[in-house]
Amino acid sequence: MKRTLRMRSMAVATALTISFLSFGQQPSTPRILPRPDFHFPGNVGRTYLESDPAQFPQMVQAPKGAPNILLILLDDAGFGQFSTFGGGVPSPTMDKLAAEGLRYNRFHTTALCSPTRAALITGRNHHSAAFASITEVATGYEGYTCVLPRSCGTVGEVLRQNGYSTAWIGKNHNTPPWELSAAGPFDRWANGLGFDYFYGFNAGDMNHWNPILFENRDLVPSSKDPAYHLTTDLADHAIAWVRKMKSIAPDKPFFLYVAPGATHAPHQAPKSWIDKFKGQFDDGWDAYREKTFERQKSKGVIPAGTKLTPRPASLPAWSSLNAQQKKLYARMMEVFAAYGAQCDYEMGRIVEAVKQLPDADNTMIIYIAGDNGSSAEGGLEGSLNENLFFNGFPEKWEDNLKAYDEIGGPKHFNHFTSQWAWAMNTPFQWTKQVASHFGGTRNPLIIDWPAKVKDKGGLRSQFVHTIDIVPTIYEVCNITAPDVLNGIEQKPIEGTSFAYSFPRDSAQAKDRREVQYFELGVNRGMYSHGWMASAMSFVPWNPNRDKFDPDQQKWELYHVDEDFSQANDLAASNPEKLRQLQDLWWVEAAKYNVLPLDWRGTIRFNAELMGRPSLIGHRKSMTYYPGTIGLPDAASPPMTNKSWTITAEFEVPASNANGMIVTHGGLEGGYGLYLRDGKPTFVYNYLAAARPTFAGKAALSKGKVTLVVNFAYDGGGLGKGGTITMTANGKEVAKGRLEKTIPIQFSLGEGLDIGQDVGSPVDFTYKMPFAYTGKIDKVTIDLK
């Protein structure tokens, strides 16, 4: 096996060397990292007087002429979303970079965030890097664990060991959830993955008004700025870091990876941005696609003969809606457009800061508009709480209309309708999750590098995949992908550099990526030499997956070299080509750890049922002390579908007895136990749809109190009800029923806090952080 791996590594290294030579450089960095320890090269006598002059080990220098790298990756954005590629959301930053550099209109992702991000930082296919899906649905198969193999070293680690300063700002969705607590381990946090500096969040999505952030490994205190917004904060820290690095070490190149949470749900934007888009989407998603399609043709980002694919029968036409539905859904799109436009503006601040640096011309900016297509997870009627989707529940537009004026603000974890997601992916079929079709996988890519890219405003149509970014970076930096990294033999880089497409005369250069498999939730695709076989599994707006037989899956066939949008299915007329690609898919699947296929839906979000590693383990009793805050959901007690007891021991002050005792979750679901004017109060946030509250009628007396909340679960399946009983020093103070409970997960990342509430509030009757004014001894949670 080792001999085979070495032979594969040598073959890849040879191919990369040929690619380097074609770009005019010869790789010069070592194949084994880190470099050997320093050994004095001179003669050593009995004393320094009899020895050769001392020589210090020198800091590693990056290869001569190695560029700075700014890598920007937006979240959940479609091909037809931003104006640079014909969409209706203004993107002046992308416009400027595209005018100065190159646009790529056949760049592909994996159709989902964690998998794309793993491929992006390793240069390996997402299953090879163990990221078949997002971390929250990991299973115990090799390609599905979401534990990044040490044999898949990151671009951050390789660049760091070759003389670069490295930073990761924004979203990290590549650390196993069970490793995200203060107990670690930390080797798969961003710092452990090769990034000197990290500022951001360790989750798939984040509240942009009340985020839970980390600076390196330290929890960041909540901002007191009433105008705070996460995207602005991330831009501020990216700018501060890059300026600091160039002030301290101006000759040292940097690698800055910026991954904002936008435009992933929750779609949250300042009102001043939302107001800019009032009335702009009143004609609906069908008209949006038609207008975007025409703009795309006029801009040349799609070929002239491209066909606009039709709306799926499962999505309603805009004309079929009533006036109130149109009002609500147009508002959701206005908020989404504001969210995206503000994000591009903030990325522009980073770009401008980089371009003001002394070596700006030798800075390669890689701007990827989306880690997958636009998301349909808001469902057919839109959502005020995305966590409802992940618990398997739809929402009703009539309920959401009541919050019309609050959409985009701090009270909701909102997401627009699936129809708008489909529109954002013009001209393609389908959306995020659907790896079989380009609506899920084709995203805009822009490369700007003034020192080397001279075809300003050029368009490139070579077939490129996310795994090709890393080898491209290595080539332009004149760095060799190591065979051994930190003592671990490395898997070969599975991507192919596309630096060959940078020269002015390379627009028609032959593709070097000739084969690429796709798979996500058994949505399957196989690209080979200009043809694409596609097999869809489930519509992405329904998280509940029924029985499924992959052998009965319907396959389609497209000649995508001539059919840009996958509009003409040739499966019936060319069954031989389809069979060839189907067989090739199974070969690639076996090669890259895609098997076994797994189509299960929401049930995989329940870590306890899936048997994922847990710091809770088999414990039934957990005791927490003051100072335990920001504990991630995956490290918090699993309290769904069972009986439990919370026992809080604390002291009640003589006056002003207020504050949080213990809470788990936030605005999208969870619970809180707190005192308000001395009265004990327990609130259960049922996915923001209801917040039943149980409170004592009288304030607790001054002194020590043992407050117990007991929940007796009815049983009989998932999400059933039960009885809440609250006692203080053994005396019952409140009792009542929860008619239904959360079946899968309390929250999308917010876990346990003791003594205050960090992140978002579990209800809106108190002001964050709602720190307890007395003294808490401990809180014990017993699972029954």
Side-chain angles (χ1 to χ4, degrees), residues 8 120 130 139 141 175 192 217 249 309 354 359 410 446 546 613 677 768:
R8 289 173 65 196
L120 180 66
T139 66
Y141 297 103
T175 303
R217 287 161 42 177
T309 56
V354 165
D359 53 354
I446 299 168
D546 296 325
D677 297 327
M768 302 284 285

Side-chain angles (χ1 to χ4, degrees), residues 104-109 368 441-443 445 464-466 469:
Y104 288 77
N105 67 348
R106 295 177 78 211
F107 173 79
H108 301 84
T109 55
I368 305 172
T441 62
R442 188 164 284 181
N443 289 87
L445 167 67
V464 181
H465 190 272
T466 305
I469 295 289

Side-chain angles (χ1 to χ4, degrees), residues 106-123:
R106 295 177 78 211
F107 173 79
H108 301 84
T109 55
T110 70
L112 198 63
C113 44
S114 293
T116 293
R117 291 158 194 270
L120 180 66
I121 63 174
T122 68

Side-chain angles (χ1 to χ4, degrees), residues 467-671:
I467 60 175
D468 301 328
I469 295 289
V470 164
T472 302
I473 291 174
Y474 290 163
E475 176 170 350
V476 303
C477 296
N478 196 19
I479 286 172
T480 306
D483 296 331
V484 177
L485 181 63
N486 297 331
I488 304 296
E489 194 163 17
Q490 296 293 288
K491 288 184 179 181
I493 295 292
E494 293 165 0
T496 300
S497 171
F498 59 95
Y500 70 88
S501 68
F502 291 179
R504 190 188 301 271
D505 59 354
S506 63
Q508 302 304 317
K510 187 177 182 293
D511 291 3
R512 295 189 184 177
R513 170 153 299 289
E514 297 178 330
V515 174
Q516 180 61 45
Y517 83 90
F518 295 86
E519 193 279 336
L520 198 291
V522 203
N523 289 295
R524 294 185 279 168
M526 189 68 240
Y527 171 81
S528 178
H529 300 84
W531 289 81
M532 181 86 169
S534 302
M536 186 183 171
S537 56
F538 297 93
V539 294
W541 43 84
N542 184 0
N544 300 305
R545 307 291 157 87
D546 296 325
K547 293 180 180 179
F548 181 76
D549 183 356
D551 292 330
Q552 299 301 314
Q553 201 167 0
K554 180 181 181 293
W555 283 83
E556 301 161 3
L557 177 68
Y558 303 97
H559 191 189
V560 293
D561 270 359
E562 299 176 359
D563 179 10
F564 184 84
S565 62
Q566 293 180 299
N568 186 20
D569 181 9
L570 303 175
S573 62
N574 198 342
E576 296 82 7
K577 173 61 72 172
L578 177 60
R579 170 51 59 189
Q580 176 190 354
L581 294 179
Q582 287 173 308
D583 291 344
L584 180 58
W585 187 91
W586 286 104
V587 171
E588 296 293 287
K591 180 179 179 181
Y592 293 115
N593 297 333
V594 180
L595 307 178
L597 296 177
D598 189 345
W599 51 87
R600 289 172 293 175
T602 54
I603 194 67
R604 281 177 59 183
F605 281 90
N606 192 305
E608 192 175 13
L609 293 178
M610 290 296 102
R612 287 192 284 274
S614 168
L615 292 176
I616 301 299
H618 297 291
R619 289 185 294 158
K620 296 297 183 183
S621 182
M622 289 69 63
T623 299
Y624 301 96
Y625 298 91
T628 302
I629 55 174
L631 191 64
D633 182 69
S636 302
M639 299 170 68
T640 56
N641 310 307
K642 61 173 65 71
S643 299
W644 45 258
T645 300
I646 300 171
T647 303
E649 299 178 34
F650 57 94
E651 294 182 11
V652 178
S655 61
N656 188 31
N658 288 285
M660 187 65 67
I661 304 298
V662 56
T663 182
H664 180 172
L667 69 85
E668 72 271 25
Y671 70 84

Side-chain angles (χ1 to χ4, degrees), residues 264-275:
H264 195 294
H267 302 163
Q268 296 174 324
K271 186 177 183 300
S272 59
W273 280 91
I274 296 173
D275 290 343

Side-chain angles (χ1 to χ4, degrees), residues 373-496:
S374 188
S375 169
E377 290 156 4
L380 299 181
E381 303 194 38
S383 174
L384 293 183
N385 181 10
E386 193 191 23
N387 198 26
L388 278 161
F389 174 88
F390 293 116
N391 276 276
F393 298 122
E395 295 180 57
K396 294 296 183 184
W397 70 266
E398 296 92 341
D399 297 326
N400 294 346
L401 182 64
K402 299 171 186 176
Y404 178 90
D405 293 323
E406 298 175 345
I407 296 173
K411 288 189 175 182
H412 303 288
F413 216 91
N414 51 287
H415 192 305
F416 65 5
T417 67
S418 303
Q419 299 90 302
W420 279 122
W422 165 74
M424 295 304 103
N425 298 320
T426 304
F428 305 117
Q429 303 181 58
W430 303 113
T431 65
K432 174 185 176 181
Q433 297 187 27
V434 186
S436 54
H437 292 76
F438 292 151
T441 62
R442 188 164 284 181
N443 289 87
L445 167 67
I446 299 168
I447 302 285
D448 175 52
W449 186 11
K452 296 291 183 180
V453 173
K454 301 302 182 182
D455 186 15
K456 297 185 183 300
L459 179 70
R460 297 293 183 267
S461 295
Q462 288 83 6
F463 195 98
V464 181
H465 190 272
T466 305
I467 60 175
D468 301 328
I469 295 289
V470 164
T472 302
I473 291 174
Y474 290 163
E475 176 170 350
V476 303
C477 296
N478 196 19
I479 286 172
T480 306
D483 296 331
V484 177
L485 181 63
N486 297 331
I488 304 296
E489 194 163 17
Q490 296 293 288
K491 288 184 179 181
I493 295 292
E494 293 165 0
T496 300

